[in-house]
Amino acid sequence: PRNYDPALHPFEVAREYTRALNATKLERVFAKPFLSSLDGHRDGVNCMAKHPKSLSTVLSGACDGEVKIWNLTKRQCIRTIQAHEGFVRGMCARFCGTSFFTVGDDKTVKQWKMESPEYGEEEEPIHTILGKTVYTGIDHHWKEPVFATCGHQVDIWDEQRTSPKCSLTWGFDSISSVKFNPIETYLLGSCASDRNIVLYDMRKSTPLKKVILNMRTNTLCWNPMEAFIFTAANEDYNLYTFDMRFLESPVMVHMDHVSAVLDVDYSPTGKEFVSASFDKSIRIFPVDKGHSREVYHTKRMQHVITVKWTSDNKYILCGSDEMNIRLWKANASEKLGVLAPREKAAMNYNQKLKEKFQFHPQIRRIAQHRHLPKSIYCQIKEQRIMREARRRKEMNRRKHSKPGSVPFVPERKKHIVAVVK
């Protein structure tokens, strides 16, 4: 037993501070997040899907209509399908993992078997649905044989039928992505290019409400732990976490990217999410923080179009313009492989120390420091100057106006135009 009497341990805090400082420095030394790249595509990777039952299987679709199935443990492609003419716009796996769906520029929805065909068997889809317009996204229901596609409108399909069960529309514009809620499975959200985020209820087959932002939302992702929380990736370099019950202002604005955010995916714990951006980097944000805890980039990586967080909460996959899928650690300095009990105990102790002293200026500086590509670094600096100038201008205007005529608008309210119910 340890005696916690402070008189007996006069230098405890000083000793622990030194240990915390060393632990923080070592964490930055061992931060090597990049694991490998899966190459084989002959065009930019446009979309990815996770296998619901197998951790080592991931699917990817490219801009030349090719779909590849990868084995992550062997880090190689196990099957290639020429699925569509033109882009593969979206893909999703069935909840049981026996088949998957793809949509493409050739106005078709195709269902494919997850297993490779037998020897001598042709590689062809189980079902093909020919639509009237181009479909831009697809998502499968989490429990029933129902899937949703989006294009000019959101269509809900039964797997057995070749025409949609119901079509949902609100306004007239192309819808870029549609997502089913993993908990309240009859809810879905979609983003359209007229800057709307619309929420639908499958049971009433009507739209519920929509929120209009300043700029277009590219995609959204539901929190897998809290049914009513979703995060939207926007063109104005920010991500917005909304509570669907109170759309008047977002719960949190996540600002760090320096270009349009193209994709977002939640970790299975619901505490963090990863975002992919046009600025050639991916960032990991805690749900309740406005700034990212981690940024990943490589010299070769171009505009990142799609990103996924694996279901065991350990890895992140991102697909980008230059035909590669990259595999990263979700925790940059984590040691992979089997840990000895003493190692595990030391890691837990260090983790607690880092948490205890995380706000000390020295430790905080080391923990937050990241090397960035020159382009991103310069843009961050430029945007900081612009933000300061805007703030200064607003303060001057307030100073020289009648009191109360220039109201204070909180950051969260600035980006919302209207909420329509």
Side-chain angles (χ1 to χ4, degrees):
R2 181 171 164 204
N3 191 335
Y4 283 99
D5 179 10
L8 298 177
H9 304 280
F11 296 120
E12 183 188 29
V13 176
R15 211 175 295 154
E16 283 192 343
Y17 175 75
T18 311
R19 284 176 188 167
L21 194 64
N22 289 341
T24 311
K25 285 176 181 173
L26 283 176
E27 182 192 38
R28 295 316 309 144
V29 168
F30 290 125
K32 294 192 167 44
F34 180 70
L35 292 173
S36 76
S37 90
L38 311 172
D39 34 5
H41 275 297
R42 290 171 302 186
D43 209 334
V45 182
N46 200 42
C47 53
M48 286 196 296
K50 292 184 282 198
H51 193 294
K53 296 283 167 78
S54 151
L55 281 174
S56 60
T57 311
V58 73
L59 310 119
S60 65
C63 297
D64 57 355
E66 203 172 57
V67 169
K68 283 185 182 286
I69 301 178
W70 303 88
N71 184 330
L72 290 182
T73 41
K74 294 179 184 168
R75 310 219 175 131
Q76 64 191 38
C77 174
I78 49 178
R79 185 169 160 217
T80 305
I81 308 163
Q82 187 57 46
H84 293 278
E85 311 276 323
F87 284 34
V88 180
R89 287 286 170 193
M91 59 197 312
C92 65
R94 199 170 185 271
F95 59 90
C96 60
T98 52
S99 62
F100 64 93
F101 295 83
T102 60
V103 293
D105 274 356
D106 50 5
K107 304 184 184 177
T108 55
V109 181
K110 294 185 181 178
Q111 183 180 3
W112 306 83
K113 270 193 193 145
M114 198 64 86
E115 277 77 45
S116 302
E118 301 293 322
Y119 180 71
E121 207 181 332
E122 285 292 313
E123 181 78 271
E124 51 188 28
I126 310 170
H127 298 303
T128 304
I129 300 168
L130 191 60
K132 294 186 178 70
T133 56
V134 174
Y135 297 112
T136 52
I138 185 168
D139 197 30
H140 202 285
H141 194 284
W142 290 76
K143 291 187 178 133
E144 291 167 21
V146 171
F147 64 92
T149 59
C150 61
H152 270 308
Q153 58 198 24
V154 172
D155 292 327
I156 313 275
W157 306 75
D158 195 308
E159 281 182 14
Q160 308 302 324
R161 293 168 57 179
T162 54
S163 57
K165 280 203 309 186
C166 68
S167 296
L168 309 164
T169 146
W170 191 353
F172 302 94
D173 222 339
S174 56
I175 297 162
S176 56
S177 92
V178 61
K179 291 280 163 70
F180 274 101
N181 192 322
I183 305 166
E184 300 292 349
T185 49
Y186 44 81
L187 286 175
L188 23 77
S190 75
C191 346
S193 52
D194 55 358
R195 306 174 305 168
N196 290 347
I197 301 172
V198 189
L199 303 174
Y200 307 94
D201 191 332
M202 218 169 69
R203 299 167 303 180
K204 297 195 325 194
S205 63
T206 54
L208 291 175
K209 45 185 169 181
K210 69 175 172 181
V211 55
I212 306 168
L213 285 93
N214 271 338
M215 287 180 85
R216 193 179 80 198
T217 301
N218 287 316
T219 181
L220 59 87
C221 186
W222 293 93
N223 190 324
M225 285 295 164
E226 292 180 273
F228 31 78
I229 302 285
F230 66 90
T231 295
N234 203 284
E235 285 279 317
D236 65 0
Y237 316 169
N238 297 342
L239 293 114
Y240 301 100
T241 298
F242 283 98
D243 185 327
M244 64 172 278
R245 300 165 300 177
F246 316 109
L247 290 174
E248 284 71 32
S249 78
V251 181
M252 186 60 74
V253 182
H254 310 273
M255 319 166 77
D256 257 345
H257 281 295
V258 292
S259 195
V261 190
L262 300 179
D263 200 10
V264 57
D265 193 38
Y266 263 93
S267 73
T269 57
K271 290 184 177 171
E272 295 181 316
F273 59 83
V274 59
S275 64
S277 170
F278 199 74
D279 64 13
K280 309 178 187 179
S281 69
I282 61 176
R283 286 181 184 266
I284 301 173
F285 290 87
V287 173
D288 52 353
K289 301 269 196 309
H291 293 286
S292 59
R293 74 161 171 87
E294 197 63 79
V295 53
Y296 294 159
H297 55 85
T298 67
K299 276 188 180 164
R300 286 190 182 174
M301 188 153 78
Q302 295 303 311
H303 314 306
V304 193
I305 297 171
T306 172
V307 71
K308 284 276 178 271
W309 198 308
T310 56
S311 309
D312 60 349
N313 198 27
K314 271 190 181 296
Y315 306 105
I316 286 167
L317 289 149
C318 70
S320 49
D321 249 2
E322 79 319 325
M323 309 179 279
N324 277 8
I325 296 167
R326 289 183 174 75
L327 184 65
W328 309 84
K329 288 189 231 175
N331 192 353
S333 57
E334 182 182 25
K335 187 183 173 194
L336 299 179
V338 184
L339 291 179
R342 284 184 64 179
E343 262 183 311
K344 209 175 273 183
M347 269 174 50
N348 291 343
Y349 177 57
N350 285 343
Q351 189 57 40
K352 279 283 170 256
L353 284 179
K354 281 183 287 197
E355 279 171 28
K356 182 175 174 181
F357 292 97
Q358 63 184 337
F359 296 113
H360 280 242
Q362 215 40 17
I363 286 178
R364 192 171 169 191
R365 185 185 62 81
I366 294 166
Q368 287 187 349
H369 183 257
R370 295 289 180 278
H371 286 290
L372 289 170
K374 192 176 178 186
S375 58
I376 296 182
Y377 181 76
C378 293
Q379 276 174 291
I380 287 175
K381 213 154 102 182
E382 194 177 301
Q383 278 173 15
R384 192 183 299 129
I385 293 165
M386 283 156 66
R387 248 198 321 272
E388 285 298 311
R390 277 199 293 270
R391 216 183 84 238
R392 208 165 46 242
K393 183 174 180 179
E394 196 179 322
M395 276 166 60
N396 288 343
R397 192 174 283 163
R398 194 170 287 124
K399 208 182 288 175
H400 298 290
S401 306
K402 200 167 76 180
S405 61
V406 182
F408 285 93
V409 182
E411 183 63 46
R412 292 179 189 180
K413 296 255 173 133
K414 273 180 195 168
H415 310 278
I416 306 289
V417 177
V419 176
V420 189
K421 293 190 179 170

